[in-house]
Amino acid sequence: MQIAKVRGNVVSTQKEPSLRGTKLLLLQLVDEEGQPLPKYEVAADNVGAGVDEWVLVSCGSAARIVQGNEQRPLDAVVVAIIDSVRIEDRLIYSKKDQYR
Amino acid sequence: MQIAKVRGNVVSTQKEPSLRGTKLLLLQLVDEEGQPLPKYEVAADNVGAGVDEWVLVSCGSAARIVQGNEQRPLDAVVVAIIDSVRIEDRLIYSKKDQYR
Amino acid sequence: MQIAKVRGNVVSTQKEPSLRGTKLLLLQLVDEEGQPLPKYEVAADNVGAGVDEWVLVSCGSAARIVQGNEQRPLDAVVVAIIDSVRIEDRLIYSKKDQYR
Amino acid sequence: MQIAKVRGNVVSTQKEPSLRGTKLLLLQLVDEEGQPLPKYEVAADNVGAGVDEWVLVSCGSAARIVQGNEQRPLDAVVVAIIDSVRIEDRLIYSKKDQYR
Amino acid sequence: MQIAKVRGNVVSTQKEPSLRGTKLLLLQLVDEEGQPLPKYEVAADNVGAGVDEWVLVSCGSAARIVQGNEQRPLDAVVVAIIDSVRIEDRLIYSKKDQYR
């Protein structure tokens, strides 16, 4: 999984019928220190993530191993809202502190 | 999923028999600000996208989770025509305005 | 799918038994203007592509959604010989003209 | 599979219900000489890897071919703790020596 | 598939139980002219490849379409030992000559 920050969303009315009701977030991928990478992913969200939150995104067929997504042509899904990222003794990110 | 702009199409007569009747679009991938990336994808289209429209493209096995594509050797499919892309408070793209 | 030009082939006698009889082409990927990219793919060919022809290559599990390949450990397959690539009003490639 | 070094972990409470009880490690990918690459992966761990250990990470659908992960939306998993990496006659890494 | 040169191996005792008995090779990917790329893959070997031999490596779910690997969390497998690579009229590699 990659770490990403929720930046916005994508809206579509003319789409695969199976995607009706799917909330699509625009995620900016970040490196392990929290610096933005020049990569984004549009991912389905089932965990209720909001703008600026850090999340974990799963890509590929994993996107369909989520209840309700089995028959949706998705290749990316938000699987978790991150509480904290720790590298050795350093706390890189903490949702509570939002120090970044 | 990635955001892409429809640029053109690819035509083939000698192909896997299962691909008969599949419309193949040439998509230019764009970054989250709408700038063109040096990447393209040839994707099957079932949603009726036209040149210059912004679309969402799903890659990998997702391409076969679309009615009629189950037995086609596809690795990319247009799953939605985009109405709008929003990053925080900014409207990056709006199909109605076509301001980009 | 990506656009590629057939450049040559790869021959192997000591291989997975299921690959017996599989013709393996060496493909040079090209960008959407037909310029060669520093990327290649060795792909199975079931459509009878020849050297210098432009083809579409499907990667990943799509390679096994082709009759006869279901039980072969392939991750790339030629799915079509390209007749033409068109970007907006420009004809980028035409098999008939071979102008490139 | 890629070679990676365990650097830390990611904690989340609000997540896909199926991910409850999954330990998520932050892995830094390394090249074949053990130099850190600017790439990381957040992967599920079922083999009990600890910080600084070198591991093998499998990506994609392989992540779900591990007992207990079948129905989890994972795209990366630690499949082994590495004892040694050898290139021709050179021992690049040995867990016993921890010379790196 | 990609072309790679066998460089060494990776040994692990603490691993997914299903990987017991799997020989893991360290492969250096090469470009279509045989020049080393800054990419490697650790792949399962069922065809008996040795150091310095050129092989074909299949990635992704293809790694599990090999007898005995169906239930192993692998994302890369050696599927063939290469005899020759030919680009148009040039012989890029020949196992017999080992001229490279």
Side-chain angles (χ1 to χ4, degrees):
Chain A
M1 280 75 68
Q2 295 290 298
I3 301 172
K5 195 175 171 175
V6 181
R7 295 291 310 282
N9 59 49
V10 175
V11 173
S12 165
T13 42
Q14 197 173 338
K15 59 190 167 189
E16 279 301 318
S18 62
L19 292 181
R20 276 180 208 141
T22 301
K23 187 176 147 200
L24 296 172
L25 295 179
L26 180 67
L27 309 176
Q28 180 99 38
L29 301 201
V30 297
D31 68 17
E32 73 277 16
E33 299 284 345
Q35 300 305 312
L37 292 168
K39 288 182 196 168
Y40 71 91
E41 199 67 58
V42 178
D45 176 37
N46 293 54
V47 296
V51 167
D52 278 344
E53 284 189 309
W54 280 30
V55 297
L56 279 179
V57 57
S58 250
C59 292
S61 53
R64 298 188 300 279
I65 313 295
V66 164
Q67 206 175 354
N69 286 357
E70 295 88 347
Q71 294 302 317
R72 289 173 164 163
L74 297 166
D75 63 4
V77 69
V78 174
V79 296
I81 297 174
I82 296 176
D83 291 335
S84 66
V85 176
R86 193 176 290 272
I87 293 188
E88 285 139 18
D89 289 341
R90 289 182 300 135
L91 190 63
I92 299 298
Y93 169 80
S94 164
K95 189 184 167 182
K96 202 176 60 177
D97 302 338
Q98 287 279 4
Y99 69 84
R100 199 174 280 272
Chain B
M1 280 75 68
Q2 296 290 297
I3 301 172
K5 194 175 172 176
V6 181
R7 295 292 309 283
N9 59 49
V10 175
V11 173
S12 166
T13 42
Q14 197 173 337
K15 59 190 168 190
E16 279 302 317
S18 62
L19 292 181
R20 277 181 208 140
T22 302
K23 186 177 147 200
L24 294 173
L25 296 180
L26 181 66
L27 308 176
Q28 179 98 38
L29 301 201
V30 297
D31 68 18
E32 73 276 17
E33 300 284 345
Q35 300 305 312
L37 292 168
K39 288 183 196 167
Y40 70 92
E41 198 67 58
V42 178
D45 176 38
N46 292 55
V47 296
V51 167
D52 278 344
E53 285 190 308
W54 281 30
V55 297
L56 279 179
V57 57
S58 250
C59 291
S61 53
R64 298 189 300 278
I65 313 295
V66 164
Q67 206 175 353
N69 285 356
E70 296 87 347
Q71 295 302 316
R72 290 173 164 164
L74 297 167
D75 63 3
V77 68
V78 175
V79 296
I81 298 173
I82 295 176
D83 291 336
S84 66
V85 177
R86 192 175 291 272
I87 292 188
E88 285 139 16
D89 290 341
R90 289 182 300 135
L91 191 62
I92 300 297
Y93 170 80
S94 164
K95 189 183 167 181
K96 203 175 59 175
D97 301 337
Q98 286 279 4
Y99 68 84
R100 199 175 278 273
Chain C
M1 281 75 68
Q2 295 291 297
I3 301 171
K5 195 175 172 175
V6 181
R7 295 291 310 283
N9 60 49
V10 175
V11 173
S12 166
T13 41
Q14 198 173 337
K15 59 190 168 190
E16 279 301 318
S18 61
L19 292 181
R20 276 179 208 141
T22 302
K23 187 177 147 200
L24 295 172
L25 295 180
L26 181 67
L27 309 176
Q28 179 99 37
L29 301 200
V30 297
D31 68 18
E32 73 276 17
E33 299 285 344
Q35 299 306 312
L37 292 168
K39 289 182 194 167
Y40 70 91
E41 198 68 57
V42 178
D45 176 38
N46 293 55
V47 296
V51 167
D52 278 343
E53 284 189 308
W54 280 30
V55 297
L56 279 179
V57 57
S58 249
C59 292
S61 53
R64 299 189 299 279
I65 313 295
V66 164
Q67 206 176 352
N69 285 357
E70 296 87 347
Q71 294 302 316
R72 289 173 164 164
L74 296 167
D75 64 3
V77 69
V78 174
V79 296
I81 297 174
I82 295 176
D83 290 336
S84 66
V85 177
R86 192 175 290 272
I87 292 188
E88 286 139 15
D89 289 341
R90 288 182 300 135
L91 190 63
I92 299 298
Y93 169 80
S94 164
K95 190 185 167 181
K96 203 175 59 176
D97 301 337
Q98 285 279 4
Y99 69 84
R100 199 174 280 272
Chain D
M1 281 76 67
Q2 296 290 297
I3 301 172
K5 195 175 172 174
V6 182
R7 295 291 310 281
N9 60 50
V10 175
V11 173
S12 166
T13 42
Q14 197 174 337
K15 59 190 167 189
E16 278 302 318
S18 62
L19 292 181
R20 277 180 208 139
T22 302
K23 187 176 147 201
L24 296 171
L25 296 180
L26 180 67
L27 309 176
Q28 179 98 38
L29 301 200
V30 297
D31 68 18
E32 73 277 17
E33 299 284 345
Q35 300 306 312
L37 292 168
K39 288 183 195 166
Y40 70 91
E41 198 68 57
V42 178
D45 175 38
N46 294 54
V47 296
V51 168
D52 278 344
E53 284 190 307
W54 280 30
V55 298
L56 279 178
V57 57
S58 249
C59 292
S61 52
R64 298 188 300 280
I65 314 294
V66 164
Q67 206 175 355
N69 285 356
E70 296 87 348
Q71 295 301 317
R72 289 174 164 163
L74 297 167
D75 63 3
V77 69
V78 175
V79 296
I81 297 173
I82 296 176
D83 292 335
S84 66
V85 177
R86 193 176 289 273
I87 293 188
E88 286 139 16
D89 290 340
R90 288 181 301 134
L91 190 63
I92 300 297
Y93 170 80
S94 164
K95 189 183 168 183
K96 202 176 59 176
D97 301 338
Q98 286 280 4
Y99 69 84
R100 200 174 280 272
Chain E
M1 280 76 66
Q2 295 290 297
I3 301 171
K5 195 175 172 175
V6 181
R7 296 291 309 283
N9 60 48
V10 175
V11 173
S12 166
T13 42
Q14 197 173 337
K15 59 189 168 190
E16 279 302 319
S18 62
L19 292 181
R20 276 181 209 139
T22 302
K23 186 176 147 201
L24 295 172
L25 295 180
L26 181 66
L27 308 176
Q28 179 98 38
L29 301 199
V30 297
D31 68 17
E32 73 276 17
E33 299 284 344
Q35 300 305 311
L37 292 168
K39 288 182 196 168
Y40 71 92
E41 198 67 58
V42 178
D45 176 38
N46 292 56
V47 297
V51 167
D52 278 344
E53 284 189 308
W54 281 29
V55 298
L56 279 178
V57 57
S58 250
C59 292
S61 53
R64 299 188 299 280
I65 314 295
V66 164
Q67 206 176 353
N69 285 357
E70 296 88 346
Q71 295 302 317
R72 288 172 165 165
L74 297 167
D75 63 3
V77 68
V78 175
V79 296
I81 297 174
I82 295 176
D83 291 336
S84 67
V85 177
R86 192 176 290 271
I87 292 188
E88 286 138 16
D89 289 341
R90 288 182 300 135
L91 190 62
I92 299 298
Y93 170 80
S94 163
K95 189 184 167 182
K96 202 176 60 177
D97 301 338
Q98 286 279 4
Y99 68 84
R100 199 174 280 275

